[in-house]
Each structure stands twice: as C-alpha cells, then as structure tokens.
Amino acid sequence: MMVRTPSSDKNGLKKGTWTPEEDQKLVDYITRYGHWNWRLLPKFAGLARCGKSCRLRWLNYLRPNLKRGNYSEEEEETIIKLHRHLGNRWSAIAARIPGRTDNEIKNYWHTNLKKRSEQDSATDSQVSNSCEQSLTTTTEPSGNTFQSFNSTQDYSPFSQNSSSSITSTECNTVTINENLAPQDEFAFWDADTDLMTGNFWLESYMRDISYVPNEPEYSFDAELWSHDN
DNA sequence: AACTTATGCAACCGCTGGCAT
DNA sequence: AATGCCAGCGGTTGCATAAGT
C-alpha cells in the first residue's frame, strides 16, 4: 500500500514510502552483514535513509518470519487478553504473538479490536460486579474491578497446554487502583512468563528481532509454524 | 460519474532507558 | 555523577483506497 509521498529531510535523507529497490538493498545488506549499528547501516548499505527508518522497515516489513494477512480468532483473542493486562505495551504484546509486529498489532487494535474489547470489558464488568457482590467484601476507593489471571494460564493461542480451567466468566476477581495496576499486576506476569518453559513463541520472536546472518536458514520454521497451521 | 467521508496501515516523530565513557 | 549515543517504544500523521451519498 502506498502511503507517504517520498520526500527528503534537511540532511538529504529520503523519507516516505520505501521502493522495492531500497527494500532489496536493505535485505541484501542485513542478510550478509546483519544489523550491527542502525545509524551507520544505511550508509554502508547504500541507502539514503536514516537508521531509524531502516530499522523500522526491517522490523515491521522485511525481516523473516513475519506473518502477513488476516488475524485468526485465536490471535485476536490473545491480543485482547494481553492488552487487558499489559495495556498499550505493544512490544510486550507482540513478543507473545509470533510473526506479528508491535506496529501491526497496534494498528490492528485501533482499527478492529478496540471497540470489541470495550464491549467485552463492559460485559465482563457486569459479570464481575455481580460476582463481587456475592464473593467479595473489600473494595478500594475508586478501585476498578477486573478479572485476574491465573498465573499458570497459558495465553498462547498455539499452546498445547490447555489444562487451564479458568474461564472468562469465572468469578476470580480482584479490585485494584487502575493507576497502580501495571507494575504490580505485570510484575508477576512477566516473571511468570519468563519462567515458563518451552516458551517457543517468545524465543522465536527474540530470534527474529536479533537477526544474525549465517544462521542456519530458519531451520526452526517448521516447528514454529506447525503450531499455527 | 463525481464528490465526500471513513478506514487501514506504513512510516514518522519524539521520548525514554540502557550503556559506554 | 554527568554526558552523549543509540536502540527501542508508543503515539501520531499522512495518504491510498473503499464506501457512502
């Protein structure tokens, strides 16, 4: 999709839409030498672009293993759930969705999922409130009600571990101050997910973003994407 | 058919945190 | 401790295209 009309900044560096030739130069260079320094890379790659632009283009469009096209139901659900607990931490969300970039997820959220999530949380809130009335007696002033994560729950849409019995309607609620939620709530989340063994999707993502040439050519693809198809 | 408005998404911008000196 | 550089992140913009009138 053509978006921005090519133009130049004051340093003569090109801005706007990337051409196929530029893409090819960037891919060729990174494939051969890797991205050791984004600021210097365009100069060595023969590109009249700033390093930032090159980095963005590579990470969001050119790097291997990017999944293009429609989102699956599982991906949508995962994004909504993750967003509910991580907020606008798109890179953290993207780290748990193999093949999708933070930029892409962010765009998709704003164009497709935001409204749906708001509807869902409105429904959840009603359910939670009714549960709270029967199960909980403590409520912080100005606190919000939301469903807590079972720390052993695996949110991967590709997870083979489906033993979790927690459902979205289960009355497992906690009441928090919205402003305090991120640190406390996500501390356990991050720690927990880091401890998860066999977290192939995070691992694969990290391999993606730290692309180094001369690796065996994506030999992990088959295993990785077999979970997806 | 012509025009207007809404939508999708690639790319840009500015800020922040980590690291080296 | 202060400073500078860099990568990374998230918000925002701008434009092509689709949909509506």
Side-chain angles (χ1 to χ4, degrees), chain A residues 170-183:
Chain A
E170 190 162 346
C171 294
N172 182 18
T173 62
V174 292
T175 306
I176 60 155
N177 181 315
E178 189 175 28
N179 295 328
L180 296 177
Q183 290 81 17

Side-chain angles (χ1 to χ4, degrees), chain A residues 72-83:
Chain A
S72 66
E73 275 292 319
E74 288 95 333
E75 284 178 309
E76 291 185 355
E77 289 303 320
T78 304
I79 292 168
I80 290 171
K81 284 176 184 172
L82 287 169
H83 186 272

